[in-house]
Amino acid sequence: MNSTSKGDKLEDAFYRYLVDQKDRGELVFGVYTAQNCKIYKKKSYYCRDRQADVEFDVVLELYRTNSDTPHLYVIFECKNHDASVSEIYVNDFSSKIGRIFPHATKGVIVVTSRLQSGAEMVARNAAMGIVKFGKQGLEIVADRKSRFLENGFLSAQMFRNDNATKSLKFSGFHDGKYFSNVDDFVTNLDFEMTGNSSYDLKDVDQLVPFLSTEDIKSTAKKLLKSSGYTYGPVDQLTICEILSISLDFSDREFVDIDGNSILGSAIFNQKMIVINAHSLQTRERFTLAHEIGHFVLDHERYLRSETIVERDLFCHKRKIGNIQLLTFRISGKLICI
């Protein structure tokens, strides 16, 4: 695939992502209604220096109520690179915006890989937004601990880092702050709204409640009982039928930003589980059980999509005296039991 085709593929996916947000009425929550947001792909604006139109990948125009002129332009430049993105692309994008939009404009570079250190510094110094977008990644609606995920986790999505983390569908950075969803990110780009102390992005009751191990075991037992299970391997297809979950067994292999195999995913708004090509049947069954668990535990309240990658299943056994220690690697963290 040539570079133009790869770029167009990212533009299409990111444009569709923004449109889906708008269709759900969630784009720029609390600042502009969906009706006040216009989204364009391959939109052109006149450049006096060139005396010609200049085209941009994806554009979000935000309007005040009853106004015909955009209050804020958010210009997205999409870079679908396998390797980390160098500073030359960020410089070019910043210069292009400066020639056309003197004010009321925010530039955002959208990448599928990570930014090199030089590119990161150019983006920071230009007050540019940075977004890492991965179509196969985890999409979060509400956070368990607080309004935002840990900054270190989000930083590792976009910037060069030795710690591998589970890939998110959307992660953003602007003005020293990190974001895991597009509405909070775009809201932060509008400095007038960011300074409004009465504005609150998320209600406290959106936080994910903690479930104990006993709660989870009890839920699993009820599900098994409803399927008529007595002994032996669990009939996962029957479980999916009971839960009205559609199954899609893909013959393709997918990898995340770090090259780890994506084993499967849950798509909550479609009530669907996708199992990607596996070499081991036992791993396929584990993946399916993992994704079923998300539906059973009602995680669609907090996630739109979820993925499980091969790295999540790494397990090492070792003995310390008479004690056997199992070490699992889950989302980049070691958990010992």
Side-chain angles (χ1 to χ4, degrees):
M1 183 184 297
N2 61 43
S3 58
T4 301
S5 298
K6 287 184 65 177
D8 289 346
K9 190 174 181 180
L10 175 58
E11 291 166 24
D12 291 342
F14 188 68
Y15 170 78
R16 186 71 253 167
Y17 172 70
L18 294 180
V19 170
D20 287 344
Q21 289 270 336
K22 180 179 178 181
D23 289 346
R24 288 191 295 263
E26 298 174 356
L27 186 61
V28 203
F29 173 77
V31 183
Y32 304 91
T33 63
Q35 292 76 17
N36 289 15
C37 303
K38 296 183 180 180
I39 306 168
Y40 302 94
K41 184 173 62 174
K42 299 295 188 184
K43 178 83 183 271
S44 295
Y45 297 89
Y46 183 73
C47 176
R48 289 184 179 179
D49 292 348
R50 293 186 178 182
Q51 295 187 359
D53 288 343
V54 174
E55 184 180 84
F56 293 94
D57 295 339
V58 179
V59 178
L60 176 63
E61 294 182 350
L62 305 178
Y63 293 77
R64 297 185 189 277
T65 302
N66 299 323
S67 174
D68 296 329
T69 303
H71 165 65
L72 179 69
Y73 297 88
V74 183
I75 312 294
F76 297 96
E77 176 87 353
C78 299
K79 295 298 178 186
N80 191 359
H81 293 188
D82 294 328
S84 53
V85 178
S86 66
E87 63 181 278
I88 186 173
Y89 298 104
V90 183
N91 268 322
D92 288 347
F93 179 44
S94 180
S95 298
K96 188 164 67 170
I97 290 177
R99 287 195 297 267
I100 300 176
F101 299 98
H103 52 77
T105 305
K106 286 294 184 179
V108 180
I109 186 159
V110 183
V111 297
T112 53
S113 56
R114 294 186 175 92
L115 271 70
Q116 293 180 5
S117 57
E120 176 187 346
M121 292 308 301
V122 170
R124 286 175 183 264
N125 291 333
M128 188 179 296
I130 303 167
V131 163
K132 201 279 287 183
F133 182 77
K135 190 175 180 181
Q136 301 292 328
L138 177 81
E139 187 174 4
I140 295 171
V141 177
D143 189 0
R144 180 183 298 279
K145 294 178 64 177
S146 63
R147 194 171 64 192
F148 303 121
L149 297 179
E150 294 178 1
N151 284 352
F153 180 85
L154 292 169
S155 175
Q157 302 285 323
M158 293 165 281
F159 307 129
R160 300 194 65 162
N161 195 299
D162 293 332
N163 298 321
T165 62
K166 183 184 283 289
S167 183
L168 292 177
K169 186 170 187 176
F170 178 96
S171 51
F173 172 85
H174 177 254
D175 194 24
K177 301 182 182 70
Y178 293 91
F179 306 90
S180 61
N181 60 75
V182 67
D183 53 349
D184 290 354
F185 174 76
V186 176
T187 297
N188 183 262
L189 296 179
D190 190 340
F191 63 91
E192 291 184 12
M193 292 307 303
T194 305
N196 186 352
S197 59
S198 65
Y199 176 69
D200 190 11
L201 293 174
K202 292 285 186 295
D203 295 329
V204 174
D205 60 5
Q206 286 290 311
L207 301 185
V208 180
F210 174 79
L211 292 178
S212 68
T213 301
E214 291 305 315
D215 290 334
I216 296 173
K217 285 182 178 180
S218 175
T219 301
K221 288 177 180 178
K222 289 178 182 178
L223 179 61
L224 290 174
K225 184 177 180 180
S226 69
S227 69
Y229 174 79
T230 54
Y231 64 92
V234 175
D235 187 343
Q236 295 176 314
L237 299 183
T238 297
I239 294 290
C240 288
E241 289 178 5
I242 291 173
L243 298 174
S244 300
I245 297 173
S246 300
L247 285 176
D248 180 8
F249 291 89
S250 171
D251 59 355
R252 296 181 58 192
E253 295 184 1
F254 295 93
V255 296
D256 67 5
I257 185 175
D258 296 304
N260 298 293
S261 295
I262 298 175
L263 304 179
S265 58
I267 306 171
F268 294 105
N269 61 350
Q270 299 178 29
K271 207 154 189 184
M272 174 185 290
I273 292 175
V274 179
I275 305 297
N276 297 327
H278 289 182
S279 58
L280 298 174
Q281 185 178 10
T282 52
R283 181 171 294 175
E284 183 177 283
R285 283 182 57 82
F286 181 92
T287 301
L288 181 52
H290 173 96
E291 302 300 3
I292 288 173
H294 284 291
F295 283 96
V296 174
L297 297 175
D298 203 20
H299 285 176
E300 62 265 28
R301 290 182 294 167
Y302 318 110
L303 301 170
R304 287 208 180 87
S305 64
E306 190 276 345
T307 60
I308 178 171
V309 299
E310 189 174 37
R311 184 187 64 249
D312 292 345
L313 309 184
F314 287 173
C315 172
H316 302 281
K317 295 181 181 180
R318 60 192 176 102
K319 277 191 174 183
I320 301 179
N322 294 324
I323 300 174
Q324 178 170 276
L325 186 67
L326 298 180
T327 305
F328 294 88
R329 182 173 295 277
I330 301 179
S331 297
K333 298 180 179 179
L334 292 178
I335 299 177
C336 301
I337 59 174

